[in-house]
Amino acid sequence: AQKVTQAQTEISVVEKEDVTLDCVYETRDTTYYLFWYKQPPSGELVFLIRRNSFDEQNEISGRYSWNFQKSTSSFNFTITASQVVDSAVYFCALSFYSSASKIIFGSGTRLSIRP
Amino acid sequence: SAVISQKPSRDICQRGTSLTIQCQVDSQVTMMFWYRQQPGQSLTLIATANQGSEATYESGFVIDKFPISRPNLTFSTLTVSNMSPEDSSIYLCSVSILAGEGEQFFGPGTRLTVL
């Protein structure tokens, strides 16, 4: 089965706290891509990052960091020192090298940052 | 990335009518897609819009209900036909700039309400 699971439906933290969004995926393909997208209240989907299955290096971009572990089929997303502007729904997604047009989205995690 | 616009941004329609949504990209792209996001849900791929040929529909979506056109490499339309309240959703257009590279960039979406 090809599937993305985001077990956390909603998370609420106080501003400046660190928060980690979990993502677990299932696939039998050996070559695939993983993504994170952000959907703020305005509704537009914003691309954050792509990870190739053969590259397990973690990535940091400002306050954002991503931890990719093939051994546990996880691709978690951490926001450090969260800000109110980080409030959004975050989607983890998966696509395949053999059929790169098809992206499978997780159910999303709604993140609320309280001032 | 690419700049993607959609028209209309939102609409309220009567049951039984049809609405055509336009998607315009500021550069030529290899692949264009249409997604549906029902209230509080994740994204579901409706179809891949193929330039010069019929669209490729995902399971559960049919051409009679969601006819798609793609006359060139920068433009596509999605029509939602014979609408019912269950069609109330956000409809998003997306593009893939490099075939096989995975990530897609999304338009701002069209928020449709059917009464």
Side-chain angles (χ1 to χ4, degrees), chain A residues 33 35 37 39 47 50 91 100-103 105-106, chain B residues 31 33 37 42-43 58 100-106:
Chain A
Y33 301 102
F35 312 92
Y37 284 87
Q39 189 174 40
F47 168 73
R50 178 191 73 188
F91 292 98
S101 63
K102 189 173 177 75
I103 293 185
F105 284 85
Chain B
M31 306 185 80
F33 310 90
Q37 186 178 23
S42 186
L43 284 78
E58 296 298 308
E101 287 296 307
E103 71 261 32
Q104 296 175 17
F105 298 95
F106 286 79

mmCIF file with all atom_site columns, all heavy atoms in Angstrom, chain A residues 33 35 37 39 47 50 91 100-103 105-106, chain B residues 31 33 37 42-43 58 100-106:
data_model
loop_
_atom_site.group_PDB
_atom_site.id
_atom_site.type_symbol
_atom_site.label_atom_id
_atom_site.label_alt_id
_atom_site.label_comp_id
_atom_site.label_asym_id
_atom_site.label_entity_id
_atom_site.label_seq_id
_atom_site.pdbx_PDB_ins_code
_atom_site.Cartn_x
_atom_site.Cartn_y
_atom_site.Cartn_z
_atom_site.occupancy
_atom_site.B_iso_or_equiv
_atom_site.pdbx_formal_charge
_atom_site.auth_seq_id
_atom_site.auth_comp_id
_atom_site.auth_asym_id
_atom_site.auth_atom_id
_atom_site.pdbx_PDB_model_num
ATOM 1   N N   . TYR A 1 33  ? 9.875   10.275 -3.511  1.00 0.00 ? 33  TYR A N   1
ATOM 2   C CA  . TYR A 1 33  ? 10.076  11.617 -2.986  1.00 0.00 ? 33  TYR A CA  1
ATOM 3   C C   . TYR A 1 33  ? 9.136   11.849 -1.806  1.00 0.00 ? 33  TYR A C   1
ATOM 4   O O   . TYR A 1 33  ? 8.005   11.372 -1.809  1.00 0.00 ? 33  TYR A O   1
ATOM 5   C CB  . TYR A 1 33  ? 9.748   12.671 -4.043  1.00 0.00 ? 33  TYR A CB  1
ATOM 6   C CG  . TYR A 1 33  ? 10.556  12.584 -5.315  1.00 0.00 ? 33  TYR A CG  1
ATOM 7   C CD1 . TYR A 1 33  ? 10.008  12.031 -6.478  1.00 0.00 ? 33  TYR A CD1 1
ATOM 8   C CD2 . TYR A 1 33  ? 11.851  13.081 -5.380  1.00 0.00 ? 33  TYR A CD2 1
ATOM 9   C CE1 . TYR A 1 33  ? 10.731  11.967 -7.643  1.00 0.00 ? 33  TYR A CE1 1
ATOM 10  C CE2 . TYR A 1 33  ? 12.579  13.017 -6.551  1.00 0.00 ? 33  TYR A CE2 1
ATOM 11  C CZ  . TYR A 1 33  ? 12.011  12.461 -7.676  1.00 0.00 ? 33  TYR A CZ  1
ATOM 12  O OH  . TYR A 1 33  ? 12.733  12.395 -8.841  1.00 0.00 ? 33  TYR A OH  1
ATOM 13  N N   . PHE A 1 35  ? 7.596   15.106 0.690   1.00 0.00 ? 35  PHE A N   1
ATOM 14  C CA  . PHE A 1 35  ? 7.403   16.560 0.689   1.00 0.00 ? 35  PHE A CA  1
ATOM 15  C C   . PHE A 1 35  ? 6.713   17.008 1.969   1.00 0.00 ? 35  PHE A C   1
ATOM 16  O O   . PHE A 1 35  ? 6.006   16.233 2.625   1.00 0.00 ? 35  PHE A O   1
ATOM 17  C CB  . PHE A 1 35  ? 6.486   17.001 -0.477  1.00 0.00 ? 35  PHE A CB  1
ATOM 18  C CG  . PHE A 1 35  ? 6.821   16.429 -1.804  1.00 0.00 ? 35  PHE A CG  1
ATOM 19  C CD1 . PHE A 1 35  ? 6.222   15.254 -2.230  1.00 0.00 ? 35  PHE A CD1 1
ATOM 20  C CD2 . PHE A 1 35  ? 7.713   17.058 -2.642  1.00 0.00 ? 35  PHE A CD2 1
ATOM 21  C CE1 . PHE A 1 35  ? 6.521   14.707 -3.469  1.00 0.00 ? 35  PHE A CE1 1
ATOM 22  C CE2 . PHE A 1 35  ? 8.017   16.516 -3.886  1.00 0.00 ? 35  PHE A CE2 1
ATOM 23  C CZ  . PHE A 1 35  ? 7.410   15.339 -4.290  1.00 0.00 ? 35  PHE A CZ  1
ATOM 24  N N   . TYR A 1 37  ? 4.185   20.436 2.755   1.00 0.00 ? 37  TYR A N   1
ATOM 25  C CA  . TYR A 1 37  ? 3.507   21.631 2.277   1.00 0.00 ? 37  TYR A CA  1
ATOM 26  C C   . TYR A 1 37  ? 2.828   22.316 3.452   1.00 0.00 ? 37  TYR A C   1
ATOM 27  O O   . TYR A 1 37  ? 2.388   21.655 4.398   1.00 0.00 ? 37  TYR A O   1
ATOM 28  C CB  . TYR A 1 37  ? 2.417   21.271 1.248   1.00 0.00 ? 37  TYR A CB  1
ATOM 29  C CG  . TYR A 1 37  ? 2.925   20.902 -0.126  1.00 0.00 ? 37  TYR A CG  1
ATOM 30  C CD1 . TYR A 1 37  ? 3.291   19.586 -0.421  1.00 0.00 ? 37  TYR A CD1 1
ATOM 31  C CD2 . TYR A 1 37  ? 3.014   21.855 -1.133  1.00 0.00 ? 37  TYR A CD2 1
ATOM 32  C CE1 . TYR A 1 37  ? 3.736   19.244 -1.696  1.00 0.00 ? 37  TYR A CE1 1
ATOM 33  C CE2 . TYR A 1 37  ? 3.451   21.511 -2.407  1.00 0.00 ? 37  TYR A CE2 1
ATOM 34  C CZ  . TYR A 1 37  ? 3.812   20.203 -2.671  1.00 0.00 ? 37  TYR A CZ  1
ATOM 35  O OH  . TYR A 1 37  ? 4.255   19.871 -3.936  1.00 0.00 ? 37  TYR A OH  1
ATOM 36  N N   . GLN A 1 39  ? -0.329  25.018 4.440   1.00 0.00 ? 39  GLN A N   1
ATOM 37  C CA  . GLN A 1 39  ? -1.547  25.660 3.964   1.00 0.00 ? 39  GLN A CA  1
ATOM 38  C C   . GLN A 1 39  ? -2.029  26.626 5.038   1.00 0.00 ? 39  GLN A C   1
ATOM 39  O O   . GLN A 1 39  ? -2.711  26.250 5.982   1.00 0.00 ? 39  GLN A O   1
ATOM 40  C CB  . GLN A 1 39  ? -2.630  24.635 3.636   1.00 0.00 ? 39  GLN A CB  1
ATOM 41  C CG  . GLN A 1 39  ? -3.840  25.243 2.943   1.00 0.00 ? 39  GLN A CG  1
ATOM 42  C CD  . GLN A 1 39  ? -4.848  24.211 2.493   1.00 0.00 ? 39  GLN A CD  1
ATOM 43  O OE1 . GLN A 1 39  ? -5.134  23.240 3.192   1.00 0.00 ? 39  GLN A OE1 1
ATOM 44  N NE2 . GLN A 1 39  ? -5.414  24.403 1.306   1.00 0.00 ? 39  GLN A NE2 1
ATOM 45  N N   . PHE A 1 47  ? 4.816   25.042 -1.015  1.00 0.00 ? 47  PHE A N   1
ATOM 46  C CA  . PHE A 1 47  ? 5.816   23.981 -1.001  1.00 0.00 ? 47  PHE A CA  1
ATOM 47  C C   . PHE A 1 47  ? 6.942   24.361 -0.048  1.00 0.00 ? 47  PHE A C   1
ATOM 48  O O   . PHE A 1 47  ? 7.485   25.461 -0.117  1.00 0.00 ? 47  PHE A O   1
ATOM 49  C CB  . PHE A 1 47  ? 6.353   23.794 -2.422  1.00 0.00 ? 47  PHE A CB  1
ATOM 50  C CG  . PHE A 1 47  ? 7.579   22.946 -2.528  1.00 0.00 ? 47  PHE A CG  1
ATOM 51  C CD1 . PHE A 1 47  ? 7.509   21.580 -2.351  1.00 0.00 ? 47  PHE A CD1 1
ATOM 52  C CD2 . PHE A 1 47  ? 8.814   23.512 -2.813  1.00 0.00 ? 47  PHE A CD2 1
ATOM 53  C CE1 . PHE A 1 47  ? 8.645   20.796 -2.466  1.00 0.00 ? 47  PHE A CE1 1
ATOM 54  C CE2 . PHE A 1 47  ? 9.946   22.739 -2.929  1.00 0.00 ? 47  PHE A CE2 1
ATOM 55  C CZ  . PHE A 1 47  ? 9.871   21.371 -2.747  1.00 0.00 ? 47  PHE A CZ  1
ATOM 56  N N   . ARG A 1 50  ? 11.431  19.112 -0.519  1.00 0.00 ? 50  ARG A N   1
ATOM 57  C CA  . ARG A 1 50  ? 11.393  17.797 -1.133  1.00 0.00 ? 50  ARG A CA  1
ATOM 58  C C   . ARG A 1 50  ? 12.605  17.016 -0.666  1.00 0.00 ? 50  ARG A C   1
ATOM 59  O O   . ARG A 1 50  ? 13.708  17.569 -0.545  1.00 0.00 ? 50  ARG A O   1
ATOM 60  C CB  . ARG A 1 50  ? 11.457  17.917 -2.652  1.00 0.00 ? 50  ARG A CB  1
ATOM 61  C CG  . ARG A 1 50  ? 11.473  16.563 -3.363  1.00 0.00 ? 50  ARG A CG  1
ATOM 62  C CD  . ARG A 1 50  ? 11.809  16.711 -4.842  1.00 0.00 ? 50  ARG A CD  1
ATOM 63  N NE  . ARG A 1 50  ? 13.223  17.018 -5.033  1.00 0.00 ? 50  ARG A NE  1
ATOM 64  C CZ  . ARG A 1 50  ? 13.743  17.352 -6.196  1.00 0.00 ? 50  ARG A CZ  1
ATOM 65  N NH1 . ARG A 1 50  ? 12.984  17.471 -7.259  1.00 0.00 ? 50  ARG A NH1 1
ATOM 66  N NH2 . ARG A 1 50  ? 15.036  17.619 -6.294  1.00 0.00 ? 50  ARG A NH2 1
ATOM 67  N N   . PHE A 1 91  ? 0.907   19.560 5.513   1.00 0.00 ? 91  PHE A N   1
ATOM 68  C CA  . PHE A 1 91  ? 0.703   18.266 4.861   1.00 0.00 ? 91  PHE A CA  1
ATOM 69  C C   . PHE A 1 91  ? 2.036   17.627 4.522   1.00 0.00 ? 91  PHE A C   1
ATOM 70  O O   . PHE A 1 91  ? 2.916   18.273 3.938   1.00 0.00 ? 91  PHE A O   1
ATOM 71  C CB  . PHE A 1 91  ? -0.089  18.431 3.559   1.00 0.00 ? 91  PHE A CB  1
ATOM 72  C CG  . PHE A 1 91  ? -1.516  18.847 3.757   1.00 0.00 ? 91  PHE A CG  1
ATOM 73  C CD1 . PHE A 1 91  ? -1.884  20.176 3.641   1.00 0.00 ? 91  PHE A CD1 1
ATOM 74  C CD2 . PHE A 1 91  ? -2.491  17.901 4.055   1.00 0.00 ? 91  PHE A CD2 1
ATOM 75  C CE1 . PHE A 1 91  ? -3.203  20.561 3.813   1.00 0.00 ? 91  PHE A CE1 1
ATOM 76  C CE2 . PHE A 1 91  ? -3.807  18.281 4.230   1.00 0.00 ? 91  PHE A CE2 1
ATOM 77  C CZ  . PHE A 1 91  ? -4.161  19.608 4.119   1.00 0.00 ? 91  PHE A CZ  1
ATOM 78  N N   . ALA A 1 100 ? 5.907   10.223 -11.157 1.00 0.00 ? 100 ALA A N   1
ATOM 79  C CA  . ALA A 1 100 ? 6.117   11.427 -10.356 1.00 0.00 ? 100 ALA A CA  1
ATOM 80  C C   . ALA A 1 100 ? 4.929   12.366 -10.384 1.00 0.00 ? 100 ALA A C   1
ATOM 81  O O   . ALA A 1 100 ? 4.878   13.312 -9.622  1.00 0.00 ? 100 ALA A O   1
ATOM 82  C CB  . ALA A 1 100 ? 7.359   12.154 -10.840 1.00 0.00 ? 100 ALA A CB  1
ATOM 83  N N   . SER A 1 101 ? 3.967   12.102 -11.269 1.00 0.00 ? 101 SER A N   1
ATOM 84  C CA  . SER A 1 101 ? 2.838   13.011 -11.304 1.00 0.00 ? 101 SER A CA  1
ATOM 85  C C   . SER A 1 101 ? 1.888   12.785 -10.139 1.00 0.00 ? 101 SER A C   1
ATOM 86  O O   . SER A 1 101 ? 1.112   13.672 -9.795  1.00 0.00 ? 101 SER A O   1
ATOM 87  C CB  . SER A 1 101 ? 2.080   12.839 -12.610 1.00 0.00 ? 101 SER A CB  1
ATOM 88  O OG  . SER A 1 101 ? 1.550   11.525 -12.700 1.00 0.00 ? 101 SER A OG  1
ATOM 89  N N   . LYS A 1 102 ? 1.909   11.639 -9.554  1.00 0.00 ? 102 LYS A N   1
ATOM 90  C CA  . LYS A 1 102 ? 0.897   11.330 -8.540  1.00 0.00 ? 102 LYS A CA  1
ATOM 91  C C   . LYS A 1 102 ? 1.472   11.576 -7.160  1.00 0.00 ? 102 LYS A C   1
ATOM 92  O O   . LYS A 1 102 ? 2.389   10.888 -6.730  1.00 0.00 ? 102 LYS A O   1
ATOM 93  C CB  . LYS A 1 102 ? 0.457   9.876  -8.667  1.00 0.00 ? 102 LYS A CB  1
ATOM 94  C CG  . LYS A 1 102 ? -0.733  9.538  -7.791  1.00 0.00 ? 102 LYS A CG  1
ATOM 95  C CD  . LYS A 1 102 ? -1.243  8.145  -8.068  1.00 0.00 ? 102 LYS A CD  1
ATOM 96  C CE  . LYS A 1 102 ? -2.384  7.789  -7.141  1.00 0.00 ? 102 LYS A CE  1
ATOM 97  N NZ  . LYS A 1 102 ? -3.620  8.457  -7.523  1.00 0.00 ? 102 LYS A NZ  1
ATOM 98  N N   . ILE A 1 103 ? 0.934   12.552 -6.464  1.00 0.00 ? 103 ILE A N   1
ATOM 99  C CA  . ILE A 1 103 ? 1.334   12.849 -5.091  1.00 0.00 ? 103 ILE A CA  1
ATOM 100 C C   . ILE A 1 103 ? 0.239   12.349 -4.167  1.00 0.00 ? 103 ILE A C   1
ATOM 101 O O   . ILE A 1 103 ? -0.939  12.659 -4.363  1.00 0.00 ? 103 ILE A O   1
ATOM 102 C CB  . ILE A 1 103 ? 1.573   14.355 -4.879  1.00 0.00 ? 103 ILE A CB  1
ATOM 103 C CG1 . ILE A 1 103 ? 2.799   14.826 -5.666  1.00 0.00 ? 103 ILE A CG1 1
ATOM 104 C CG2 . ILE A 1 103 ? 1.765   14.655 -3.402  1.00 0.00 ? 103 ILE A CG2 1
ATOM 105 C CD1 . ILE A 1 103 ? 3.167   16.280 -5.419  1.00 0.00 ? 103 ILE A CD1 1
ATOM 106 N N   . PHE A 1 105 ? -1.151  12.650 -0.471  1.00 0.00 ? 105 PHE A N   1
ATOM 107 C CA  . PHE A 1 105 ? -1.072  13.539 0.676   1.00 0.00 ? 105 PHE A CA  1
ATOM 108 C C   . PHE A 1 105 ? -1.535  12.836 1.941   1.00 0.00 ? 105 PHE A C   1
ATOM 109 O O   . PHE A 1 105 ? -2.446  12.010 1.916   1.00 0.00 ? 105 PHE A O   1
ATOM 110 C CB  . PHE A 1 105 ? -1.952  14.773 0.456   1.00 0.00 ? 105 PHE A CB  1
ATOM 111 C CG  . PHE A 1 105 ? -1.363  15.782 -0.487  1.00 0.00 ? 105 PHE A CG  1
ATOM 112 C CD1 . PHE A 1 105 ? -1.537  15.655 -1.852  1.00 0.00 ? 105 PHE A CD1 1
ATOM 113 C CD2 . PHE A 1 105 ? -0.617  16.841 -0.004  1.00 0.00 ? 105 PHE A CD2 1
ATOM 114 C CE1 . PHE A 1 105 ? -0.984  16.581 -2.727  1.00 0.00 ? 105 PHE A CE1 1
ATOM 115 C CE2 . PHE A 1 105 ? -0.064  17.770 -0.866  1.00 0.00 ? 105 PHE A CE2 1
ATOM 116 C CZ  . PHE A 1 105 ? -0.241  17.638 -2.227  1.00 0.00 ? 105 PHE A CZ  1
ATOM 117 N N   . GLY A 1 106 ? -0.882  13.191 3.048   1.00 0.00 ? 106 GLY A N   1
ATOM 118 C CA  . GLY A 1 106 ? -1.408  12.802 4.345   1.00 0.00 ? 106 GLY A CA  1
ATOM 119 C C   . GLY A 1 106 ? -2.627  13.630 4.687   1.00 0.00 ? 106 GLY A C   1
ATOM 120 O O   . GLY A 1 106 ? -3.015  14.535 3.934   1.00 0.00 ? 106 GLY A O   1
ATOM 121 N N   . MET B 2 31  ? 3.523   19.494 -16.885 1.00 0.00 ? 31  MET B N   1
ATOM 122 C CA  . MET B 2 31  ? 2.352   18.805 -16.386 1.00 0.00 ? 31  MET B CA  1
ATOM 123 C C   . MET B 2 31  ? 1.488   19.744 -15.543 1.00 0.00 ? 31  MET B C   1
ATOM 124 O O   . MET B 2 31  ? 1.989   20.560 -14.774 1.00 0.00 ? 31  MET B O   1
ATOM 125 C CB  . MET B 2 31  ? 2.761   17.588 -15.545 1.00 0.00 ? 31  MET B CB  1
ATOM 126 C CG  . MET B 2 31  ? 3.697   16.624 -16.288 1.00 0.00 ? 31  MET B CG  1
ATOM 127 S SD  . MET B 2 31  ? 4.074   15.130 -15.394 1.00 0.00 ? 31  MET B SD  1
ATOM 128 C CE  . MET B 2 31  ? 2.605   14.182 -15.734 1.00 0.00 ? 31  MET B CE  1
ATOM 129 N N   . PHE B 2 33  ? -2.241  19.683 -13.103 1.00 0.00 ? 33  PHE B N   1
ATOM 130 C CA  . PHE B 2 33  ? -3.117  18.778 -12.363 1.00 0.00 ? 33  PHE B CA  1
ATOM 131 C C   . PHE B 2 33  ? -4.262  19.556 -11.723 1.00 0.00 ? 33  PHE B C   1
ATOM 132 O O   . PHE B 2 33  ? -4.144  20.746 -11.451 1.00 0.00 ? 33  PHE B O   1
ATOM 133 C CB  . PHE B 2 33  ? -2.345  18.070 -11.243 1.00 0.00 ? 33  PHE B CB  1
ATOM 134 C CG  . PHE B 2 33  ? -1.055  17.445 -11.680 1.00 0.00 ? 33  PHE B CG  1
ATOM 135 C CD1 . PHE B 2 33  ? 0.125   18.166 -11.634 1.00 0.00 ? 33  PHE B CD1 1
ATOM 136 C CD2 . PHE B 2 33  ? -1.019  16.144 -12.137 1.00 0.00 ? 33  PHE B CD2 1
ATOM 137 C CE1 . PHE B 2 33  ? 1.321   17.600 -12.047 1.00 0.00 ? 33  PHE B CE1 1
ATOM 138 C CE2 . PHE B 2 33  ? 0.174   15.562 -12.537 1.00 0.00 ? 33  PHE B CE2 1
ATOM 139 C CZ  . PHE B 2 33  ? 1.343   16.299 -12.491 1.00 0.00 ? 33  PHE B CZ  1
ATOM 140 N N   . GLN B 2 37  ? -10.226 19.590 -2.575  1.00 0.00 ? 37  GLN B N   1
ATOM 141 C CA  . GLN B 2 37  ? -10.024 19.539 -1.138  1.00 0.00 ? 37  GLN B CA  1
ATOM 142 C C   . GLN B 2 37  ? -11.375 19.814 -0.474  1.00 0.00 ? 37  GLN B C   1
ATOM 143 O O   . GLN B 2 37  ? -11.826 20.959 -0.420  1.00 0.00 ? 37  GLN B O   1
ATOM 144 C CB  . GLN B 2 37  ? -8.982  20.550 -0.673  1.00 0.00 ? 37  GLN B CB  1
ATOM 145 C CG  . GLN B 2 37  ? -8.654  20.426 0.806   1.00 0.00 ? 37  GLN B CG  1
ATOM 146 C CD  . GLN B 2 37  ? -7.594  21.392 1.268   1.00 0.00 ? 37  GLN B CD  1
ATOM 147 O OE1 . GLN B 2 37  ? -7.366  22.431 0.654   1.00 0.00 ? 37  GLN B OE1 1
ATOM 148 N NE2 . GLN B 2 37  ? -6.921  21.065 2.355   1.00 0.00 ? 37  GLN B NE2 1
ATOM 149 N N   . SER B 2 42  ? -7.980  16.446 3.316   1.00 0.00 ? 42  SER B N   1
ATOM 150 C CA  . SER B 2 42  ? -6.740  16.541 2.567   1.00 0.00 ? 42  SER B CA  1
ATOM 151 C C   . SER B 2 42  ? -7.046  16.716 1.078   1.00 0.00 ? 42  SER B C   1
ATOM 152 O O   . SER B 2 42  ? -8.204  16.830 0.677   1.00 0.00 ? 42  SER B O   1
ATOM 153 C CB  . SER B 2 42  ? -5.903  15.283 2.807   1.00 0.00 ? 42  SER B CB  1
ATOM 154 O OG  . SER B 2 42  ? -4.651  15.407 2.211   1.00 0.00 ? 42  SER B OG  1
ATOM 155 N N   . LEU B 2 43  ? -6.015  16.727 0.278   1.00 0.00 ? 43  LEU B N   1
ATOM 156 C CA  . LEU B 2 43  ? -6.164  16.912 -1.160  1.00 0.00 ? 43  LEU B CA  1
ATOM 157 C C   . LEU B 2 43  ? -6.307  15.569 -1.858  1.00 0.00 ? 43  LEU B C   1
ATOM 158 O O   . LEU B 2 43  ? -5.590  14.613 -1.532  1.00 0.00 ? 43  LEU B O   1
ATOM 159 C CB  . LEU B 2 43  ? -4.953  17.638 -1.747  1.00 0.00 ? 43  LEU B CB  1
ATOM 160 C CG  . LEU B 2 43  ? -4.871  19.132 -1.505  1.00 0.00 ? 43  LEU B CG  1
ATOM 161 C CD1 . LEU B 2 43  ? -4.399  19.446 -0.104  1.00 0.00 ? 43  LEU B CD1 1
ATOM 162 C CD2 . LEU B 2 43  ? -3.955  19.790 -2.533  1.00 0.00 ? 43  LEU B CD2 1
ATOM 163 N N   . GLU B 2 58  ? -8.415  10.078 -12.190 1.00 0.00 ? 58  GLU B N   1
ATOM 164 C CA  . GLU B 2 58  ? -8.185  9.143  -11.098 1.00 0.00 ? 58  GLU B CA  1
ATOM 165 C C   . GLU B 2 58  ? -9.479  8.378  -10.808 1.00 0.00 ? 58  GLU B C   1
ATOM 166 O O   . GLU B 2 58  ? -10.579 8.787  -11.200 1.00 0.00 ? 58  GLU B O   1
ATOM 167 C CB  . GLU B 2 58  ? -7.736  9.882  -9.845  1.00 0.00 ? 58  GLU B CB  1
ATOM 168 C CG  . GLU B 2 58  ? -6.398  10.579 -10.015 1.00 0.00 ? 58  GLU B CG  1
ATOM 169 C CD  . GLU B 2 58  ? -5.270  9.608  -10.298 1.00 0.00 ? 58  GLU B CD  1
ATOM 170 O OE1 . GLU B 2 58  ? -5.107  8.632  -9.531  1.00 0.00 ? 58  GLU B OE1 1
ATOM 171 O OE2 . GLU B 2 58  ? -4.543  9.821  -11.292 1.00 0.00 ? 58  GLU B OE2 1
ATOM 172 N N   . GLY B 2 100 ? 9.238   14.336 -13.551 1.00 0.00 ? 100 GLY B N   1
ATOM 173 C CA  . GLY B 2 100 ? 10.045  13.383 -12.823 1.00 0.00 ? 100 GLY B CA  1
ATOM 174 C C   . GLY B 2 100 ? 10.706  13.947 -11.585 1.00 0.00 ? 100 GLY B C   1
ATOM 175 O O   . GLY B 2 100 ? 11.301  13.212 -10.820 1.00 0.00 ? 100 GLY B O   1
ATOM 176 N N   . GLU B 2 101 ? 10.606  15.260 -11.376 1.00 0.00 ? 101 GLU B N   1
ATOM 177 C CA  . GLU B 2 101 ? 11.254  15.849 -10.217 1.00 0.00 ? 101 GLU B CA  1
ATOM 178 C C   . GLU B 2 101 ? 10.368  15.860 -8.992  1.00 0.00 ? 101 GLU B C   1
ATOM 179 O O   . GLU B 2 101 ? 10.838  16.180 -7.910  1.00 0.00 ? 101 GLU B O   1
ATOM 180 C CB  . GLU B 2 101 ? 11.702  17.280 -10.538 1.00 0.00 ? 101 GLU B CB  1
ATOM 181 C CG  . GLU B 2 101 ? 12.901  17.325 -11.461 1.00 0.00 ? 101 GLU B CG  1
ATOM 182 C CD  . GLU B 2 101 ? 14.129  16.704 -10.820 1.00 0.00 ? 101 GLU B CD  1
ATOM 183 O OE1 . GLU B 2 101 ? 14.495  17.109 -9.705  1.00 0.00 ? 101 GLU B OE1 1
ATOM 184 O OE2 . GLU B 2 101 ? 14.714  15.790 -11.433 1.00 0.00 ? 101 GLU B OE2 1
ATOM 185 N N   . GLY B 2 102 ? 9.105   15.561 -9.162  1.00 0.00 ? 102 GLY B N   1
ATOM 186 C CA  . GLY B 2 102 ? 8.264   15.319 -7.998  1.00 0.00 ? 102 GLY B CA  1
ATOM 187 C C   . GLY B 2 102 ? 7.426   16.467 -7.528  1.00 0.00 ? 102 GLY B C   1
ATOM 188 O O   . GLY B 2 102 ? 6.213   16.376 -7.507  1.00 0.00 ? 102 GLY B O   1
ATOM 189 N N   . GLU B 2 103 ? 8.067   17.554 -7.073  1.00 0.00 ? 103 GLU B N   1
ATOM 190 C CA  . GLU B 2 103 ? 7.246   18.554 -6.396  1.00 0.00 ? 103 GLU B CA  1
ATOM 191 C C   . GLU B 2 103 ? 6.333   19.278 -7.364  1.00 0.00 ? 103 GLU B C   1
ATOM 192 O O   . GLU B 2 103 ? 6.658   19.453 -8.538  1.00 0.00 ? 103 GLU B O   1
ATOM 193 C CB  . GLU B 2 103 ? 8.078   19.566 -5.607  1.00 0.00 ? 103 GLU B CB  1
ATOM 194 C CG  . GLU B 2 103 ? 8.871   20.553 -6.437  1.00 0.00 ? 103 GLU B CG  1
ATOM 195 C CD  . GLU B 2 103 ? 10.305  20.091 -6.532  1.00 0.00 ? 103 GLU B CD  1
ATOM 196 O OE1 . GLU B 2 103 ? 10.549  18.869 -6.525  1.00 0.00 ? 103 GLU B OE1 1
ATOM 197 O OE2 . GLU B 2 103 ? 11.176  20.966 -6.633  1.00 0.00 ? 103 GLU B OE2 1
ATOM 198 N N   . GLN B 2 104 ? 5.181   19.640 -6.840  1.00 0.00 ? 104 GLN B N   1
ATOM 199 C CA  . GLN B 2 104 ? 4.213   20.416 -7.591  1.00 0.00 ? 104 GLN B CA  1
ATOM 200 C C   . GLN B 2 104 ? 3.994   21.738 -6.879  1.00 0.00 ? 104 GLN B C   1
ATOM 201 O O   . GLN B 2 104 ? 4.113   21.834 -5.665  1.00 0.00 ? 104 GLN B O   1
ATOM 202 C CB  . GLN B 2 104 ? 2.890   19.660 -7.709  1.00 0.00 ? 104 GLN B CB  1
ATOM 203 C CG  . GLN B 2 104 ? 3.012   18.359 -8.495  1.00 0.00 ? 104 GLN B CG  1
ATOM 204 C CD  . GLN B 2 104 ? 1.743   17.551 -8.501  1.00 0.00 ? 104 GLN B CD  1
ATOM 205 O OE1 . GLN B 2 104 ? 0.651   18.030 -8.199  1.00 0.00 ? 104 GLN B OE1 1
ATOM 206 N NE2 . GLN B 2 104 ? 1.873   16.284 -8.853  1.00 0.00 ? 104 GLN B NE2 1
ATOM 207 N N   . PHE B 2 105 ? 3.678   22.754 -7.688  1.00 0.00 ? 105 PHE B N   1
ATOM 208 C CA  . PHE B 2 105 ? 3.385   24.075 -7.162  1.00 0.00 ? 105 PHE B CA  1
ATOM 209 C C   . PHE B 2 105 ? 1.914   24.366 -7.409  1.00 0.00 ? 105 PHE B C   1
ATOM 210 O O   . PHE B 2 105 ? 1.407   24.078 -8.492  1.00 0.00 ? 105 PHE B O   1
ATOM 211 C CB  . PHE B 2 105 ? 4.292   25.116 -7.811  1.00 0.00 ? 105 PHE B CB  1
ATOM 212 C CG  . PHE B 2 105 ? 5.740   24.864 -7.532  1.00 0.00 ? 105 PHE B CG  1
ATOM 213 C CD1 . PHE B 2 105 ? 6.512   24.154 -8.439  1.00 0.00 ? 105 PHE B CD1 1
ATOM 214 C CD2 . PHE B 2 105 ? 6.326   25.303 -6.361  1.00 0.00 ? 105 PHE B CD2 1
ATOM 215 C CE1 . PHE B 2 105 ? 7.845   23.894 -8.178  1.00 0.00 ? 105 PHE B CE1 1
ATOM 216 C CE2 . PHE B 2 105 ? 7.661   25.047 -6.090  1.00 0.00 ? 105 PHE B CE2 1
ATOM 217 C CZ  . PHE B 2 105 ? 8.420   24.332 -6.999  1.00 0.00 ? 105 PHE B CZ  1
ATOM 218 N N   . PHE B 2 106 ? 1.283   24.941 -6.396  1.00 0.00 ? 106 PHE B N   1
ATOM 219 C CA  . PHE B 2 106 ? -0.166  25.061 -6.420  1.00 0.00 ? 106 PHE B CA  1
ATOM 220 C C   . PHE B 2 106 ? -0.642  26.486 -6.622  1.00 0.00 ? 106 PHE B C   1
ATOM 221 O O   . PHE B 2 106 ? -0.006  27.447 -6.161  1.00 0.00 ? 106 PHE B O   1
ATOM 222 C CB  . PHE B 2 106 ? -0.743  24.528 -5.103  1.00 0.00 ? 106 PHE B CB  1
ATOM 223 C CG  . PHE B 2 106 ? -0.698  23.030 -5.002  1.00 0.00 ? 106 PHE B CG  1
ATOM 224 C CD1 . PHE B 2 106 ? 0.474   22.380 -4.668  1.00 0.00 ? 106 PHE B CD1 1
ATOM 225 C CD2 . PHE B 2 106 ? -1.837  22.287 -5.263  1.00 0.00 ? 106 PHE B CD2 1
ATOM 226 C CE1 . PHE B 2 106 ? 0.518   20.989 -4.586  1.00 0.00 ? 106 PHE B CE1 1
ATOM 227 C CE2 . PHE B 2 106 ? -1.808  20.906 -5.188  1.00 0.00 ? 106 PHE B CE2 1
ATOM 228 C CZ  . PHE B 2 106 ? -0.635  20.256 -4.849  1.00 0.00 ? 106 PHE B CZ  1
#
